[in-house]
Amino acid sequence: GGHDLQSWLNDFIFPAEAKWDDRSLRASADLGLAEMIASGVTCIADMYSHTEAIAKQDELTGLYNRMGYEKIVIPYLDELRRSKTKSVIMVADINKMKEINDVHGHLNGDRAIKTVANVIRNTIPVSWKAVRYGGDEYVIIGDYDMSGGVEAIRDEIIGKTRQVSEELNMPFRLSVSVGYVIIDPENTLENEEYFRMADEAMYETKREAHKNE
């Protein structure tokens, strides 16, 4: 009968000391299926996480984009402020970007944007966050625990941009204007107001740069 057939199959497939009944086979199959489902769910979760990370990254520069700014960088700033940590907002902008695009073409414009992004990435402390905020404007946010360190970082971004563009023999003069504001943890101004102040500081340095050219 059916039982004899099952016994024969057990003897044929499995050693005598490891004979399985129907329930064991079903349990094993269920376990295998559960493992497959769990593996599939993990794979989907990894894919979703990777896709979400890409969505927050600027395609041209690899810095955070506007979504990354809203979802990662601003919460990071909020946490710094909640923990009463002095912080800094820095805004950088490429000088004469329209002229670079108009005279030398948009491929060279993209090259300029990537070059400045790389300078920023390689200059700021690893804990800081850098954003391509739009076009040729960058926003940098980080904790401030160094006496005079922000000015040194600003000067290094400006100096390295000029140096790298010369080393790469770019067909145009690449330079940036950088402004910043330090956020005192005791101050209750909104983030947007600090951003406006940093932006104005950047435009002030840009006006000075254009006057000297």
Side-chain angles (χ1 to χ4, degrees):
H3 182 71
D4 292 338
L5 179 60
Q6 180 66 56
S7 299
W8 180 83
L9 283 170
N10 273 343
D11 288 337
F12 182 77
I13 298 170
F14 304 108
E17 66 273 12
K19 289 180 181 177
W20 290 8
D21 57 19
D22 288 340
R23 283 174 299 177
S24 298
L25 288 166
R26 281 199 299 270
S28 174
D30 289 344
L31 180 62
L33 182 61
E35 287 175 347
M36 284 174 63
I37 291 171
S39 176
V41 168
T42 301
C43 183
I44 291 168
D46 288 345
M47 286 171 62
Y48 176 78
S49 177
H50 181 63
T51 302
E52 194 175 29
I54 289 173
K56 294 169 186 168
Q57 188 177 59
D58 177 60
E59 188 176 3
L60 181 63
T61 64
L63 302 181
Y64 288 115
N65 58 17
R66 288 292 282 271
M67 184 186 290
Y69 176 78
E70 297 292 342
K71 301 287 188 184
I72 295 175
V73 180
I74 288 300
Y76 165 70
L77 176 60
D78 289 339
E79 181 56 36
L80 289 174
R81 298 189 70 181
R82 270 195 302 272
S83 64
K84 301 295 184 185
T85 302
K86 189 178 281 192
S87 49
V88 58
I89 297 179
M90 188 176 284
V91 176
D93 193 89
I94 297 175
N95 295 326
K96 298 190 174 181
M97 187 66 200
K98 185 178 185 305
E99 186 178 308
I100 293 171
N101 279 327
D102 290 349
V103 176
H104 302 282
H106 286 273
L107 284 178
N108 272 312
D110 286 352
R111 190 180 175 202
I113 289 167
K114 285 193 283 188
T115 299
V116 174
N118 287 335
V119 167
I120 290 170
R121 185 186 293 108
N122 293 325
T123 302
I124 63 174
V126 292
S127 61
W128 288 23
K129 315 288 185 194
V131 182
R132 182 187 176 201
Y133 194 71
D136 59 317
E137 187 173 36
Y138 309 84
V139 176
I140 304 156
I141 291 176
D143 57 309
Y144 173 78
D145 59 1
M146 310 163 286
S147 176
V150 175
E151 284 193 17
I153 290 169
R154 179 199 62 190
D155 292 346
E156 195 171 346
I157 290 171
I158 293 169
K160 275 186 181 176
T161 296
R162 191 179 299 115
Q163 179 187 341
V164 169
S165 69
E166 289 170 359
E167 288 173 356
L168 294 174
N169 291 317
M170 289 184 170
F172 49 85
R173 185 175 183 273
L174 181 60
S175 65
V176 289
S177 295
V178 184
Y180 68 87
V181 62
I182 294 168
I183 302 177
D184 190 300
E186 302 305 320
N187 203 313
T188 57
L189 284 176
E190 295 291 327
N191 291 337
E192 290 78 9
E193 181 61 18
Y194 279 116
F195 178 87
R196 188 196 64 75
M197 292 163 65
D199 204 43
E200 179 54 36
M202 180 274 293
Y203 276 109
E204 182 58 37
T205 64
K206 188 179 283 285
R207 284 189 286 270
E208 288 297 316
H210 286 175
K211 264 194 275 183
N212 296 328
E213 288 180 353

